[in-house]
DNA sequence: CTACCGATCGCCT
DNA sequence: GGCGATCGGTAGC
């Protein structure tokens, strides 16, 4: 995965990452769900400029940005253009599912990596990986074709920019965190 | 299947 | 002091 792949707008990278295979120390699988965030985006951590927490978002493209969510969980982003990143929300638990099951305390493959916090727990990602490059150990990223059609919809869990269609997922995948959210029609 | 709640803490106003 | 790029449990349809 060349560095130039990440040095692009996060929305493009987010779409292209669906189908690519992520492994951390060998544990992982094909990415099935992503979200894009950038500096112009009111829902992005980078919207108000650099802080201690989001420093990695303003660092080099192709590195990790890991943050703590709700004081409990870790979430993994892949840094793109300065101040932008792609949040990894779900993947298919294809490689070393036994390790993921042990870390998660369950073995239902549909629940192992379905959500940004679950994904990090299954792959062993913590703030120890914040700011580290993605092109060397423990990370391994490889191109791959998505197992179905990639569709875009609004992002999950936000209160701002709810309708911005920057969530990308494999339509019909059993491994996504939530199904496609339809855009509300006029009159709803 | 969806809906609500509590946990828990870094970051912001 | 308030609010999240969340999750697991419980309740209800």
């Amino acid at each position: 995965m060349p560095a130039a792949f990440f040095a692009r707008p996060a929305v493009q990278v987010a779409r292209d990452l669906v189908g690519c295979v992520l492994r951390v120390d060998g544990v992982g699988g094909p990415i099935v769900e992503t979200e894009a965030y950038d500096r112009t985006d009111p829902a992005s951590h980078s919207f108000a400029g650099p802080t201690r927490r989001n420093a990695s978002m303003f660092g080099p493209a192709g590195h990790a940005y890991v943050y703590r969510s709700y004081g409990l969980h870790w979430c993994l982003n892949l840094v793109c253009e300065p101040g932008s990143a792609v949040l990894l929300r779900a993947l298919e638990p294809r490689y070393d599912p036994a390790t993921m099951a042990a870390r998660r305390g369950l073995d239902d493959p549909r629940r192992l990596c379905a959500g940004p916090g679950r994904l990090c727990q299954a792959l062993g990602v913590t703030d120890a990986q914040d700011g580290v490059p993605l092109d060397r150990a423990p990370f391994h990223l490889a191109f791959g074709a998505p197992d179905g059609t990639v569709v875009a919809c609004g992002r999950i869990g936000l209160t701002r920019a709810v309708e911005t269609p920057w969530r990308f997922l494999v339509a019909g995948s059993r491994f996504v965190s939530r199904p496609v959210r339809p855009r509300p029609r006029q009159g709803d």
Side-chain angles (χ1 to χ4, degrees), chain A residues 137-172:
Chain A
F139 289 102
H140 183 77
L141 255 175
F143 287 109
D147 186 22
T149 305
V150 178
V151 296
C153 64
R155 294 169 294 181
I156 302 291
L158 306 180
T159 57
R160 292 181 289 189
V162 171
E163 296 308 321
T164 302
W166 285 2
R167 176 180 180 231
F168 300 93
L169 48 75
V170 179

Side-chain angles (χ1 to χ4, degrees), chain A residues 126-149:
Chain A
T126 68
D127 62 340
Q129 281 77 46
D130 184 39
V132 312
L134 301 167
D135 61 357
R136 63 189 88 144
F139 289 102
H140 183 77
L141 255 175
F143 287 109
D147 186 22
T149 305

Side-chain angles (χ1 to χ4, degrees), chain A residues 111-127:
Chain A
R111 302 240 124 164
L112 281 181
C113 303
R118 294 163 173 167
L119 186 156
C120 281
Q121 187 180 19
L123 270 57
V125 172
T126 68
D127 62 340

Side-chain angles (χ1 to χ4, degrees), chain A residues 6 16 33 38 44 64 68 78 90 106 119 167 171 178 186:
Chain A
F6 290 104
D16 292 347
E33 180 182 348
D38 78 16
S44 173
R68 195 192 280 282
L78 311 187
L106 47 64
L119 186 156
R167 176 180 180 231
R178 310 196 58 166
Q186 204 167 24

Side-chain angles (χ1 to χ4, degrees), chain A residues 20-170:
Chain A
C20 292
V21 177
L22 170 69
R23 279 181 276 185
V24 181
D25 281 327
V27 181
I31 296 165
V32 298
E33 180 182 348
T34 63
E35 284 179 358
Y37 293 86
D38 78 16
R39 266 215 85 161
T40 69
D41 171 15
S44 173
H45 290 168
S46 61
F47 184 65
T51 64
R52 181 178 210 81
R53 174 176 66 163
N54 67 21
S56 294
M57 277 188 91
F58 293 90
H63 287 224
Y65 164 47
V66 180
Y67 73 95
R68 195 192 280 282
S69 177
Y70 288 87
L72 298 167
H73 314 287
W74 301 109
C75 294
L76 172 62
N77 294 254
L78 311 187
V79 178
C80 303
E81 288 182 334
S84 78
V86 173
L87 172 68
L88 299 187
R89 288 196 53 92
L91 59 75
E92 174 189 336
R94 182 179 295 177
Y95 300 106
D96 200 353
T99 293
M100 300 190 218
R103 287 170 173 163
R104 296 264 303 120
L106 47 64
D107 58 12
D108 179 359
R110 298 177 51 139
R111 302 240 124 164
L112 281 181
C113 303
R118 294 163 173 167
L119 186 156
C120 281
Q121 187 180 19
L123 270 57
V125 172
T126 68
D127 62 340
Q129 281 77 46
D130 184 39
V132 312
L134 301 167
D135 61 357
R136 63 189 88 144
F139 289 102
H140 183 77
L141 255 175
F143 287 109
D147 186 22
T149 305
V150 178
V151 296
C153 64
R155 294 169 294 181
I156 302 291
L158 306 180
T159 57
R160 292 181 289 189
V162 171
E163 296 308 321
T164 302
W166 285 2
R167 176 180 180 231
F168 300 93
L169 48 75
V170 179

